[in-house]
């Protein structure tokens, strides 16, 4: 029964993540929009959803984040046209040709490791899966992030979103305030620029989107500190309105598909898929057939 609950919450989060990702992708200028060769008339999703599907597959198969299996899944499932970043493409090529993720990940970005938002963009379904144990959600989110992000900021971003999604899912059908959601994520996030941004987000809950995007960042730097605080602010201020939350990500500009993936996945973990506009869900490219759920 608990396993069914985990799977149901995780799949709801994945649905919200993938629709947000696809909507955000469509908001870019036409020459930058990802298009799926197999579903030309659908809203294509990007690497955010593809990696989230691989992560959920591994967690459901192993009951945890098996890091070696996850690295292989990321490499073997990747479609390069999904708009993977340069670091991710290097990782994929290395692992695909027999290399070990522990060798390549620390070498990325001149030996500093990635502090990008990739760990955060894919983790909401994992958080929902471990809805009943925030410590476990934080640990599994860290393990997922470490496979591709050796920089502590990249890991901190994954932890913050993973815990937020777990807490959101744990309160399905129960009252939850946006301030509480950020505060719980803050409590589990290690000291970092991401954590500093979450502190600032708590002080900006009554401010307009444009001001907050300037204060916290809008993902345009493709970094966890530039993405996660604004994403959690958007969730906190639109926790009960999926459509408004996703449109807020687009209004802010920046990395719109990733921001909308984080926001959509976490809100759907709390609310379920019902608030997602039916026309958006119908327009979204189908999820991969290999996904076990």
């Amino acid at each position: 029964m608990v396993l069914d609950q985990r799977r149901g919450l995780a799949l709801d989060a994945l649905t919200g993540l993938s629709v947000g990702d696809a909507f955000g992708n469509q908001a870019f200028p036409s020459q930058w929009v990802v298009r799926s060769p197999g579903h030309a008339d659908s809203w294509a999703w990007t690497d955010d959803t593809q990696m989230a599907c691989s992560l959920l597959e591994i967690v459901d198969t192993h009951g945890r984040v098996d890091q070696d299996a996850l690295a292989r899944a990321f490499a073997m499932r990747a479609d390069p046209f999904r708009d993977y970043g340069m670091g991710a493409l290097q990782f994929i090529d290395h692992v695909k040709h027999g290399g070990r993720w522990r060798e390549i990940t620390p070498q990325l970005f001149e030996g500093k490791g990635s502090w990008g938002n990739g760990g955060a963009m894919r983790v909401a379904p994992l958080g929902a899966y471990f809805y009943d144990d925030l410590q476990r959600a934080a640990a599994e989110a860290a393990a997922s992030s470490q496979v591709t992000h050796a920089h502590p900021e990249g890991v901190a971003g994954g932890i913050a979103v993973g815990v937020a999604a777990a807490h959101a899912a744990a309160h399905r059908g129960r009252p939850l305030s946006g301030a509480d959601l950020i505060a719980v994520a803050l409590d589990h996030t290690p000291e970092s620029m991401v954590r500093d941004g979450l502190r600032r987000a708590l002080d900006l809950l009554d401010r307009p989107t444009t001001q907050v995007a300037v204060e916290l960042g809008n993902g345009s730097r493709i970094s966890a500190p530039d993405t996660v605080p604004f994403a959690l602010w958007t969730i906190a201020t639109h926790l009960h309105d999926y459509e408004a939350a996703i449109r807020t990500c687009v209004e802010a500009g920046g990395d719109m598909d990733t921001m909308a993936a984080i926001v959509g996945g976490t809100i759907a973990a709390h609310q379920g898929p019902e608030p997602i506009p039916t026309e958006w869900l119908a327009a979204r490219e189908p999820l991969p057939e290999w996904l076990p759920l």
Side-chain angles (χ1 to χ4, degrees):
M1 196 64 183
V2 173
L3 182 58
D4 289 342
Q5 179 82 345
R6 292 191 192 286
R7 287 172 167 167
L9 291 168
L11 186 57
D12 287 350
L14 180 62
T15 300
L17 183 156
S18 59
V19 173
D21 178 23
F23 186 93
N25 172 45
Q26 298 302 309
F28 284 102
S30 59
Q31 67 268 27
W32 296 341
V33 171
V34 172
R35 304 188 191 282
S36 174
H39 300 277
D41 296 328
S42 299
W43 290 355
W45 31 263
T46 74
D47 57 327
D48 305 42
T49 298
Q50 190 157 65
M51 297 185 89
C53 290
S54 292
L55 175 56
L56 184 52
E57 177 192 29
I58 293 302
V59 168
D60 191 61
T61 300
H62 297 267
R64 63 182 178 85
V65 174
D66 181 311
Q67 292 179 308
D68 294 335
L70 183 61
R72 290 193 296 271
F74 282 160
M76 299 308 168
R77 300 288 192 195
D79 296 318
F81 70 84
R82 298 282 180 193
D83 197 30
Y84 285 86
M86 186 59 66
L89 290 174
Q90 291 177 38
F91 170 92
I92 289 164
D93 184 68
H94 181 82
V95 174
K96 235 179 190 177
H97 289 88
R100 309 179 110 189
W101 68 269
R102 287 181 176 83
E103 297 169 350
I104 186 63
T105 299
Q107 295 175 11
L108 297 174
F109 298 95
E110 300 177 343
K112 298 175 183 176
S114 173
W115 74 338
N117 51 29
M121 73 187 187
R122 64 188 184 234
V123 79
L126 177 151
Y129 193 93
F130 294 107
Y131 72 96
D132 55 344
D133 187 341
L134 295 185
Q135 289 286 91
R136 178 76 184 277
E140 298 290 349
S144 164
S145 298
Q146 289 162 356
V147 172
T148 50
H149 292 67
H151 196 289
E153 293 291 345
V155 176
I159 292 171
V161 175
V163 170
H167 192 55
H171 284 74
R172 173 76 66 88
R174 297 163 50 201
L176 174 64
S177 74
D180 179 53
L181 186 78
I182 294 179
V184 168
L186 182 63
D187 285 345
H188 289 80
T189 303
E191 285 297 337
S192 55
M193 293 171 64
V194 170
R195 194 168 195 268
D196 292 342
L198 297 181
R199 289 193 191 98
R200 293 200 305 277
L202 277 173
D203 295 329
L204 298 170
L205 294 178
D206 60 345
R207 305 297 174 82
T209 299
T210 50
Q211 179 185 346
V212 176
V214 170
E215 293 267 349
L216 299 179
N218 63 358
S220 57
R221 293 188 176 93
I222 322 294
S223 73
D226 183 49
T227 302
V228 172
F230 182 81
L232 263 62
W233 176 90
T234 303
I235 295 163
T237 53
H238 300 83
L239 189 56
H240 303 287
D241 193 337
Y242 180 95
E243 179 176 352
I246 299 303
R247 291 192 183 278
T248 296
C249 296
V250 172
E251 178 188 351
D255 194 358
M256 294 181 286
D257 59 317
T258 292
M259 200 72 76
I262 295 170
V263 169
T266 305
I267 291 179
H270 180 53
Q271 293 287 328
E274 289 77 13
I276 301 172
T278 54
E279 61 272 23
W280 292 12
L281 189 54
R284 183 212 63 188
E285 176 187 4
L287 292 175
E289 293 182 0
W290 49 260
L291 189 67
L293 304 184

